[in-house]
Amino acid sequence: MQTVLHAAAMVPLSIPSPSWSGFDIPLPWGTLRIHAYALCILAGIIIGLWLTSARWKRRGAPEGSLWDIAIWAIPFGIIGGRLYHVFSSPDAYFGPGFDGTGDLSLIPQIQRGGLGIWGAVILGAVGAWIGCRRAGLKLTAFLDAAAPGLLLAQAIGRLGNWFNQELFGAPTTLPWGLEIDPANANFPPDMAAGTLFHPTFLYEMLWNLAGVAILLLLDKKFNFRWGRLFWLYAVYYTLGRVWIEALRIDDAEQITLFGITTRLNVWTSIFVFIAALAVFFLLGMKGRPVPDTPYLAGREPEGTQEKVPASVTSVTSHDVDASVSDTGSRGNLPDNQSDSGHVDEPQETAGKPEKDSVSSTDSISAEPAARKAPESTPKADDTK
């Protein structure tokens, strides 16, 4: 027991930040810097696509279609995420109050960190829509399949903030407080060295991982379709983002609404939460049919198009048969030209004039009489 307590006492009551943030690749004209932040984003994309691929395949999507969509969604998402970050934290790029003292050359340098999730989701969805339209697939079906994978990618990508020592929260004395190097540019200048901070990257990472499990379990139980799982993802994520964002102390655009001044991302999360919750319930009230095919109408592969139900075919056949059989049972023909064993005439006679039909009938009825005539002709002399 004493050994366990001694070992526990040796465990540092804080989370150290890594001293390593990337490596250099020598090139003939210089070096290429590979940042740990970029590697985390890339790892998140790959693992998120892996989960999405498995779910997309189970929903009946054609093989290879995920990559046709991803090739549009990923670049659009990265661009959207960067643009949202730039405009939600503009001081470094445009200067305080957009006074022009910022550095515009920093905008494309995403390796330094700074991707806003809502810009990534919005423009990423636009890219996914383009890919889906080109592949003949439904965007809503793809978003439902991708929602858990998207949240998983966000969880892994958050590790990049740890390597960059950025986006941490307020000071804390909790045993899991985050250490930040005092020489790092992100360390608050008005705080003493050794101050610990809330590891908001870890909070969001754990929140997202729990959300992946929750979304998978709920989807397995309720089989969400028509975009409902994606909107449920938005509800869950924003619920956590509100309180996690409120802990952060990095520079951000402040917005005052209803007499409350707080970060732009907090207000965005609140409004997205309300909108997503409303859409989720509205889609559930429509009672759309299940299952939902991933294909757009008219773009299904050959052999999978919706067929006329068997019940409709049988009714049509019954009506046609009835109209044909009625010809022999309504007494439209003279009694000596109809019988209970009437057989429909060949189709070729349907287009002939009525007189042809009558003459044919007369000839048919006359033929037996002609065959019978020789045998039934009376012999007057023999009967006397």
Side-chain angles (χ1 to χ4, degrees), residues 140 290 327 368:
T140 53
V290 175
T327 305

Side-chain angles (χ1 to χ4, degrees), residues 71 74 146 163 193 232 250 252 258 265 273 301 314 319 340 355 359:
I71 199 172
I74 293 174
F163 283 101
L232 189 60
D250 55 289
F258 313 109
N265 284 335
F273 172 83
S314 62
D319 292 343
S340 58
K355 63 180 183 180
S359 61

Side-chain angles (χ1 to χ4, degrees), residues 174-244:
L174 293 171
W176 54 82
L178 178 66
E179 298 178 14
I180 299 295
D181 184 359
N184 190 285
N186 294 321
F187 191 91
D190 57 342
M191 294 187 183
T195 302
L196 301 180
F197 303 90
H198 279 286
T200 51
F201 82 92
L202 180 61
Y203 297 163
E204 186 168 332
M205 183 179 179
L206 295 176
W207 178 268
N208 290 351
L209 289 175
V212 172
I214 292 172
L215 289 180
L216 291 175
L217 290 174
L218 289 177
D219 191 41
K220 183 177 181 180
K221 180 176 179 61
F222 297 104
N223 194 31
F224 290 119
R225 291 297 186 270
W226 302 99
R228 295 190 75 204
L229 189 67
F230 173 78
W231 291 109
L232 189 60
Y233 145 79
V235 168
Y236 176 85
Y237 177 71
T238 52
L239 186 62
R241 185 62 185 267
V242 167
W243 66 268
I244 294 173

Side-chain angles (χ1 to χ4, degrees), residues 39-84:
L39 294 177
C40 291
I41 297 296
L42 181 60
I45 291 174
I46 293 173
I47 297 175
L49 284 175
W50 165 78
L51 178 58
T52 302
S53 177
R55 289 174 49 77
W56 191 226
K57 183 178 180 180
R58 285 198 298 268
R59 297 209 171 195
E63 186 176 357
S65 61
L66 173 64
W67 310 111
D68 296 332
I69 300 170
I71 199 172
W72 290 92
I74 293 174
F76 273 63
I78 293 175
I79 294 172
R82 185 58 174 177
L83 291 177
Y84 182 88

